Amino acid sequence: MGRRRRSRSRERGPAIELLLQVLANGVLLGGLYALMALGLALVWGVLNIVNLAHGALIMLGGYFSYYLFTATGIDPFLTLPLTMAALFVIGYGLQRYLLNLIVRAPMFNTLLITFGLDVVLTYLAQLLFSADFRTINPSYAGAHFNIGSVTIPLLRLLAFALAAALTALLAIFLTRSRTGRAIRATSQNLDAARLYGVAPRSLYALTFALGAALAGAAGGLYGMVSQITPYIGAELTAKSFVIALIGGLDNPLGVLVGGLVLGLAEALGTLYIGPTFDNVISFGMLVLVLILRPKGILGRTA
């Protein structure tokens, strides 16, 4: 009897260690997912635009960070503000001179124009950057440390920490600053916001630019932990859509929780089902949320 118990204990040990490692990987991946979805949720919540070009903006952020790193050799975390600034300018221009033309139009119109924008950005990226796989590899890309039996990759931990910090900063900006409160007021009641002197078109452009800047940061971090090609946008838009549905549109911290839920679900699915089923899990969750709780689990949806 005692020999059997010792044998079972020896068998459970590696299984528990593997589960803990997978959970750690899921949490670290979930933080990055949350940052990807923040911009989409912000634009969707305020402008009522489901931006199908959001993944293409993430892709552009990845390329900006990649070329800044390869051209200058400066640490990619230090150049992220430059990437965010570039995407902020691109986002402001897109909203001010293109999307403002159809803002508050029927959802179908906004879907069509953002889908067209996604196609244009993808093919421009292919022409400019080619379809080769690219990765941002700083000198510490392979560094890691152990907590007990769990290995923590340093790069993924830094990406998670920065994603969490940007989520918290956005939450503080929306709740504590005058501009942030104006953005929230516009999303809740446009007519009342106008009565208090809010200029919707400028605010819409600022909101879309903020969403694009967050997408740029997510792209830079994504390029450090995965590979960049012109075609990653569609998949990242779909994952961001799932997270926005889970976490809601009015609370950045809800989006963070949504990202962690998706990251953990994909990690556990990879362990118990197979490594090729992560997209099946993402879209399976999307279907379940739409059937069981179409208004979102943690917050308001459009």
Side-chain angles (χ1 to χ4, degrees), residues 46-101:
V46 177
L47 279 67
N48 197 30
I49 290 177
V50 180
N51 180 19
L52 297 183
H54 185 73
L57 295 175
I58 295 175
M59 174 267 294
L60 286 182
Y63 276 113
F64 266 108
S65 284
Y66 172 79
Y67 282 108
L68 280 172
F69 174 66
T70 54
T72 66
I74 300 174
D75 189 286
F77 282 97
L78 297 179
T79 59
L80 270 185
L82 293 177
T83 301
M84 294 179 70
L87 267 292
F88 183 93
V89 172
I90 292 173
Y92 192 92
L94 286 174
Q95 174 63 34
R96 187 78 179 181
Y97 301 107
L98 179 64
L99 297 178
N100 259 344
L101 300 175

Side-chain angles (χ1 to χ4, degrees), residues 25-166:
N25 292 342
V27 169
L28 296 179
L29 180 64
L32 181 56
Y33 278 171
L35 181 59
M36 289 181 185
L38 265 184
L40 180 81
L42 182 66
V43 170
W44 189 359
V46 177
L47 279 67
N48 197 30
I49 290 177
V50 180
N51 180 19
L52 297 183
H54 185 73
L57 295 175
I58 295 175
M59 174 267 294
L60 286 182
Y63 276 113
F64 266 108
S65 284
Y66 172 79
Y67 282 108
L68 280 172
F69 174 66
T70 54
T72 66
I74 300 174
D75 189 286
F77 282 97
L78 297 179
T79 59
L80 270 185
L82 293 177
T83 301
M84 294 179 70
L87 267 292
F88 183 93
V89 172
I90 292 173
Y92 192 92
L94 286 174
Q95 174 63 34
R96 187 78 179 181
Y97 301 107
L98 179 64
L99 297 178
N100 259 344
L101 300 175
I102 49 92
V103 75
R104 298 295 168 185
M107 179 72 78
F108 184 68
N109 292 5
T110 62
L111 289 174
L112 279 180
I113 197 164
T114 56
F115 174 73
L117 187 59
D118 175 72
V119 172
V120 169
L121 292 176
T122 300
Y123 280 94
L124 282 177
Q126 184 183 353
L127 287 174
L128 291 172
F129 311 128
S130 82
D132 294 342
F133 289 89
R134 301 182 193 279
T135 303
I136 303 169
N137 274 319
S139 58
Y140 50 87
H144 64 273
F145 61 93
N146 292 326
I147 300 178
S149 60
V150 178
T151 299
I152 305 293
L154 179 61
L155 202 55
R156 286 180 178 264
L157 180 64
L158 291 174
F160 172 83
L162 187 57
L166 287 174

